[in-house]
């Protein structure tokens, strides 16, 4: 097998395409022949030693992937050789094969492509947990999605629409706003040229959004929060822009608003039954055509450094997927 090996997490340039012995799965594990792996923001942070999870060295990055079960370890009964699966294990995806815990593998129904499956779990699980569980979103409410053309942003638009909400999508270019409209957003804000607070005020008749979905952080967090509706819920999803914002607590008091943390990874560990039910619902929604990952492009696995560069330029719309 081959894989992109990180021996020293100093950045993407430290990754090397390396030949390695193909491993044998132990008890509770499976060997997966990887067909597709998506590039997520944590995959960039982890090779820069900036992510909260710091795997022992050396490691193969690639948190999310899909492929075919090539071998099963002792005690694995719910998966079999030749079965198509998707997995989000944190590392191991950027190669031709990987060992994964069988418990983390999502069996793929017929018609679920490897490319879509590799771009599915993280963004839809995060957005469903945020909007359905943490925000308790109701039909007819208005959701503002920041960073709306990215992976979790596009997933949030689709899930909010599936739940009957009105969606305002905020992104950094007209091209990204057009993408958001094409997947169901009711209105858009180009925050590279529009005043965010004024645009929100106009689009909500001064009421403000009931839910704000923020995977970006940085400079837009405070103006967005100042615009929130009475009893609004501000979802803290991530900090793609880099800086972690400091919101004045008096704003939460004045708006009767909630600042709600969204940490899907720990939810999945702490509440596995609730997470499994959620993933089942998401798989159904995919089969019904309610949700479908937006794929920016696919690239050969050997071109991973170029894919990282494209992601770093903030030009990606939806998800970037590497294929073998």
């Amino acid at each position: 097998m081959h894989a992109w090996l990180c021996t020293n997490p100093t950045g993407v340039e430290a990754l090397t395409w390396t030949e390695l012995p193909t491993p044998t799965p132990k008890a509770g594990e499976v060997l997966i022949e990887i067909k597709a792996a998506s590039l997520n923001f944590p995959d960039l942070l982890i090779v820069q030693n900036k992510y909260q999870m710091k795997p022992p060295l050396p490691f193969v990055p690639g948190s999310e992937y899909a492929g075919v079960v090539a071998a099963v370890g002792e005690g694995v009964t719910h998966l079999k050789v030749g079965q198509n699966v998707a997995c989000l294990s944190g590392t191991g995806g950027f190669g031709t094969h990987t060992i994964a815990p069988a418990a983390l593998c999502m069996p793929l129904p017929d018609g679920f492509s490897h490319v879509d499956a590799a771009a599915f779990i993280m963004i839809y699980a995060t957005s469903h947990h945020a909007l359905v569980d943490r925000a308790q979103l109701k039909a007819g409410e208005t959701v503002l999605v920041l960073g709306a053309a990215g992976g979790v942003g596009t997933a949030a638009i689709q899930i909010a629409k599936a739940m009957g909400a009105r969606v305002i999508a905020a992104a950094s270019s007209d091209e990204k706003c057009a993408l958001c409209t094409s997947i169901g957003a009711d209105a858009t804000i180009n925050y590279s040229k529009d005043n965010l607070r004024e645009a929100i005020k106009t689009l909500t008749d001064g009421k403000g959004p009931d839910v704000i979905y923020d995977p970006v952080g940085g400079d837009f967090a405070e103006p967005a929060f100042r615009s929130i509706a009475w009893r609004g819920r501000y979802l803290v999803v991530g900090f793609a822009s880099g800086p972690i914002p400091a919101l004045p607590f008096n704003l939460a008091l004045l708006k009767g608003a909630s600042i709600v943390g969204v940490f899907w990874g720990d939810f999945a560990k702490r509440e596995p039954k609730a997470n499994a039910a959620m993933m089942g619902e998401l798989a159904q929604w995919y089969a019904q055509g309610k949700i479908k990952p937006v794929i920016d492009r696919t690239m050969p696995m050997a071109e991973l450094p170029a894919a990282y560069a494209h992601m770093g330029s903030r030009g990606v719309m939806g998800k970037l997927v590497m294929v073998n």
Side-chain angles (χ1 to χ4, degrees):
M1 63 166 282
H2 281 78
W4 285 99
L5 202 61
C6 181
T7 52
N8 185 13
T10 56
V12 177
E13 60 282 350
L15 296 174
T16 53
W17 184 244
T18 307
E19 186 171 1
L20 300 165
T22 304
T24 301
K26 300 187 181 76
E29 296 178 337
V30 292
L31 174 67
I32 298 174
E33 181 185 348
I34 295 169
K35 298 297 186 184
S38 67
L39 196 54
N40 293 289
F41 190 58
D43 299 319
L44 183 58
L45 297 178
I46 204 167
V47 299
Q48 298 171 334
N49 206 29
K50 293 179 181 175
Y51 194 52
Q52 58 253 38
M53 182 184 81
K54 303 199 187 298
L57 299 172
F59 69 91
V60 176
S63 53
E64 185 175 27
Y65 46 88
V68 181
V69 175
V72 298
E74 184 186 342
V76 177
T77 55
H78 69 292
L79 299 172
K80 59 182 185 294
V81 172
Q83 189 168 7
N84 291 310
V85 293
C87 186
L88 197 155
S89 60
T91 57
F94 296 148
T96 59
H97 297 74
T98 195
I99 293 287
L104 295 184
C105 292
M106 173 183 172
L108 297 179
D110 291 343
F112 207 137
S113 76
H114 288 126
V115 168
D116 278 358
F120 189 80
I121 297 176
M122 183 178 284
I123 61 172
Y124 287 102
T126 297
S127 296
H128 189 290
H129 173 54
L131 293 167
V132 180
D133 185 10
R134 302 296 287 137
Q136 297 287 305
L137 180 64
K138 300 174 186 65
E141 290 190 314
T142 296
V143 179
L144 170 67
V145 180
L146 301 176
V152 289
T154 52
I157 292 170
Q158 294 177 359
I159 288 171
K161 290 307 296 178
M163 295 177 69
R166 177 175 180 249
V167 175
I168 301 169
S172 61
S173 72
D174 288 341
E175 186 184 10
K176 290 180 176 180
C177 287
L179 168 72
C180 296
T181 301
S182 75
I183 60 169
D186 299 285
T188 60
I189 300 170
N190 177 348
Y191 45 53
S192 66
K193 64 182 188 184
D194 299 333
N195 179 290
L196 183 63
R197 286 198 72 192
E198 289 302 318
I200 293 171
K201 190 175 181 180
T202 301
L203 291 170
T204 62
D205 296 325
K207 175 179 175 285
D210 301 290
V211 174
I212 297 175
Y213 181 100
D214 183 8
V216 180
D219 293 340
F220 293 118
E222 186 170 328
F225 193 56
R226 285 183 181 277
S227 306
I228 202 165
W230 173 250
R231 288 186 183 267
R233 289 87 79 201
Y234 193 102
L235 296 168
V236 181
V237 182
F239 312 104
S241 74
I244 296 176
L247 293 171
F249 271 17
N250 65 312
L251 298 178
L253 183 153
L254 293 170
K255 295 293 187 99
S258 306
I259 300 169
V260 185
V262 178
F263 190 1
W264 166 69
D266 248 37
F267 162 72
K269 289 192 191 91
R270 293 168 183 265
E271 303 177 41
K273 285 185 179 173
N275 184 64
M278 177 184 79
M279 294 311 300
E281 180 170 53
L282 285 168
Q284 279 185 328
W285 284 5
Y286 177 85
Q288 292 162 0
K290 290 181 178 178
I291 56 175
K292 181 175 172 60
V294 175
I295 307 299
D296 180 90
R297 67 188 66 181
T298 59
M299 298 174 70
M301 188 68 77
E303 293 179 18
L304 182 64
Y308 267 115
H310 180 47
M311 184 184 185
S313 73
R314 305 219 180 267
V316 175
M317 294 194 288
K319 292 283 287 260
L320 196 54
V321 179
M322 314 309 296
V323 293
N324 283 315

